Amino acid sequence: MTVYMLGAGPGDPDLITLKAIKILEKADVVLYDSLANDTLLEYAPTTARLIYVGKRAGEHYRKQPEINQLLIDEGKKCETVVRLKGGDPFIFGRGGEEELALLREGINVEVIPGINSALGSSAMIGLPLTHRAISTSLTLVTGHEDPEKSEKQVNWDYTADTLVIFMGVGLLKKYVPKILEYRDADTPVCVIENGTLPNQKVITGTLGDITEKEIKPPALVIIGEVVNIYLEAEKLRSKLE
């Protein structure tokens, strides 16, 4: 008996790995997130049970301890359990928590990585998160820390050339003033809503004006000079049309 943690990729169902599809095809039960594209469930056998355990900002269908227990219960009675998670299981996906919960119960866990939204969404629009001339370091940070922590770890004093914020749109007006303590107001910003999907939307600006723009989750926030690479590339692409 094995629980497979599958990375579903950044949104576009074509960006899931072949290995993940092969495992989905033999699943007895699939526990899936809101950010995992629903069309991927079509790869599961018609006999597989599908259990929704998604989370959205301000709306949790099941709390994390409940999900952990569900995985344990299913892992003890089913041969192949799939935990289908948006992006990559271990990049702000709580995969580490679920892995330990299962292993502590003596249940085997195998992790199949996925393309996370930072890498997938930025690459699909032609925005390089690193660039040898202007960005040799990259920091990924969550916009939502565990509310039960006694002390916050995110202080926004990161020195990396490029900063990528996951799940931070709802609190962007709170975070930007703190980021401005360490970065200039004219620092370029790119926000990608629904990255890699047909309804994808790209919004650009600066730290000084990005909070004035209409932005809706789910979205990824990219801060740094690499945004200018994207803007230049877009101008060059328009000339090719």
Side-chain angles (χ1 to χ4, degrees):
M1 295 184 290
T2 301
V3 173
Y4 293 90
M5 290 191 181
L6 305 189
D12 183 340
D14 288 343
L15 294 176
I16 193 171
T17 65
L18 288 173
K19 186 167 186 177
I21 289 174
K22 290 177 181 177
I23 293 170
L24 265 173
E25 289 174 337
K26 61 180 183 179
D28 296 311
V29 59
V30 181
L31 288 81
Y32 64 102
D33 280 349
S34 60
L35 293 179
N37 197 304
D38 287 348
T39 62
L40 295 175
L41 299 175
E42 296 174 7
Y43 288 108
T46 56
T47 55
R49 287 181 293 114
L50 307 178
I51 303 174
Y52 177 68
V53 292
K55 298 187 183 75
R56 288 280 188 176
E59 181 182 346
H60 289 191
Y61 185 71
R62 291 183 185 270
K63 295 182 178 180
Q64 191 60 49
E66 291 181 83
I67 297 173
N68 292 353
Q69 190 58 53
L70 262 175
L71 285 169
I72 291 167
D73 294 342
E74 298 296 339
K76 287 181 176 179
K77 65 185 180 184
C78 298
E79 187 66 29
T80 303
V81 177
V82 167
R83 177 69 170 102
L84 188 62
K85 303 176 75 69
D88 178 87
F90 282 178
I91 302 296
F92 304 125
R94 305 193 186 186
E97 298 172 47
E98 295 172 1
E99 177 190 40
L100 287 180
L102 288 161
L103 290 173
R104 286 166 180 160
E105 292 291 326
I107 299 169
N108 186 44
V109 180
E110 184 174 335
V111 181
I112 310 302
I115 300 173
N116 70 63
S117 59
L119 302 181
S121 298
S122 61
M124 289 287 279
I125 68 168
L127 193 163
L129 296 180
T130 63
H131 187 289
R132 65 176 185 167
I134 57 175
S135 178
T136 57
S137 56
L138 169 67
T139 290
L140 307 181
V141 59
T142 179
H144 278 82
E145 288 193 79
D146 184 346
E148 296 182 6
K149 279 182 180 178
S150 59
E151 185 176 343
K152 299 297 183 184
Q153 290 177 260
V154 178
N155 295 315
W156 304 107
D157 55 347
Y158 305 104
T159 58
D161 297 314
T162 304
L163 180 65
V164 180
I165 306 173
F166 290 67
M167 304 171 289
V169 170
L171 296 173
L172 202 59
K173 289 185 178 181
K174 175 183 176 182
Y175 294 149
V176 165
K178 296 180 181 180
I179 298 171
L180 282 169
E181 295 178 16
Y182 306 97
R183 295 176 188 256
D184 294 335
D186 60 358
T187 302
V189 179
C190 178
V191 178
I192 308 173
E193 293 182 6
N194 297 298
T196 76
L197 294 172
N199 61 337
Q200 172 180 281
K201 182 179 179 182
V202 180
I203 302 159
T204 58
T206 66
L207 279 175
D209 66 14
I210 196 63
T211 58
E212 300 170 11
K213 301 176 185 289
E214 184 179 355
I215 303 170
K216 298 178 181 178
L220 192 79
V221 182
I222 303 169
I223 301 170
E225 295 301 321
V226 289
V227 174
N228 286 332
I229 301 294
Y230 161 74
L231 294 173
E232 182 178 352
E234 283 296 283
K235 290 180 182 178
L236 293 172
R237 284 193 182 93
S238 67
K239 295 179 180 180
L240 298 176
E241 296 176 355

